């Protein structure tokens, strides 16, 4: 009688450890255009050609079924402002070239567009986050969806994530 109980407890503990490890898993997203906390070159902003920066992704867990890329401005006067939303990116994606978007479904950013729109702070220096999420499934979410819909669809499915933050201030 003791062996089945002990075996059951061990299985439950192993499942719990695996679950906690997955929630804490870290991916890494970097850019050759700027370093963590560094300045984003104006080329990638509304003051330049407004193209997306090159991004590299590492540490995608083997159980990932899709990736999500979100670029946003947490310092916007109106609150979090989204510059880019793309989901159902193939999990094998390890780089995104400058000025391009990965294969996936595009949402509507807070400019009302499906494409990347670069930093364009109204005043001062703002932080811009480029976040990558690994999900345990593809999302059943239509193209053009907004950030709140994407956040709701992702809930409970994130197995790892990473972020790089750059700064930008407009010239006078």
């Amino acid at each position: 009688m003791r062996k089945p109980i002990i075996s059951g407890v061990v299985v439950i503990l192993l499942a719990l450890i695996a679950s906690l490890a997955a929630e804490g898993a870290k991916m890494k997203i970097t850019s050759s255009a700027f370093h963590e906390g560094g300045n984003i070159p104006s080329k990638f902003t509304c003051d330049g050609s407004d193209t997306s920066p090159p991004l590299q992704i590492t540490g995608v867990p083997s159980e990932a079924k899709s990736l999500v890329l979100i670029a946003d401005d947490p310092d916007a006067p109106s609150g979090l402002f989204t510059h880019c939303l793309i989901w159902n990116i193939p999990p094998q994606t390890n780089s995104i070239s400058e000025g391009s978007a990965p294969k996936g479904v595009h949402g509507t950013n807070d400019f009302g567009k499906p494409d990347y729109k670069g930093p364009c702070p109204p005043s001062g220096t703002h932080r811009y986050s480029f976040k990558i999420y690994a999900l345990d499934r593809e999302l059943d979410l239509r193209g053009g969806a907004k950030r709140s819909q994407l956040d709701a669809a992702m809930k409970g499915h994130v197995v790892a994530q990473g972020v790089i933050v750059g700064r930008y201030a407009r010239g006078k």
Side-chain angles (χ1 to χ4, degrees):
M1 183 75 165
R2 273 190 157 171
K3 280 189 178 185
I5 292 173
I6 292 172
S7 296
V9 169
V10 168
V11 168
I12 291 170
L13 286 174
L14 289 174
L16 179 61
I17 290 168
S19 172
L20 291 173
E23 287 178 15
K26 292 284 185 191
M27 294 188 341
K28 192 168 186 179
I29 183 168
T30 58
S31 179
S32 57
F34 64 95
H35 63 275
E36 173 63 34
N39 292 324
I40 298 171
S42 62
K43 172 182 186 176
F44 304 108
T45 73
C46 67
D47 295 321
S49 57
D50 212 14
T51 58
S52 57
L55 300 170
Q56 295 78 44
I57 303 161
T58 58
V60 176
S62 59
E63 69 268 23
K65 303 289 186 247
S66 70
L67 302 176
V68 175
L69 176 66
I70 299 175
D72 58 34
D73 174 1
D75 298 326
S78 60
L80 187 66
F81 196 85
T82 303
H83 289 255
C84 178
L85 299 168
I86 306 173
W87 60 91
N88 290 350
I89 300 168
Q92 303 80 13
T93 303
N94 58 19
S95 67
I96 301 167
S97 299
E98 177 180 316
S100 69
K103 200 183 263 187
V105 180
H106 292 246
T108 301
N109 62 29
D110 286 334
F111 291 95
K113 307 282 184 191
D115 304 319
Y116 170 85
K117 292 299 287 177
C120 199
S123 64
T125 301
H126 284 220
R127 295 170 294 151
Y128 292 88
S129 302
F130 293 81
K131 302 171 187 170
I132 193 75
Y133 298 90
L135 306 183
D136 63 3
R137 63 178 229 162
E138 286 194 351
L139 298 177
D140 185 21
L141 188 61
R142 65 173 175 73
K146 298 230 178 219
R147 173 71 182 266
S148 60
Q149 295 167 304
L150 177 58
D151 287 343
M154 287 173 43
K155 191 174 174 90
H157 297 288
V158 176
V159 295
Q161 61 189 39
V163 64
I164 184 173
V165 177
R167 299 178 181 281
Y168 186 69
R170 298 186 76 188
K172 303 260 181 210

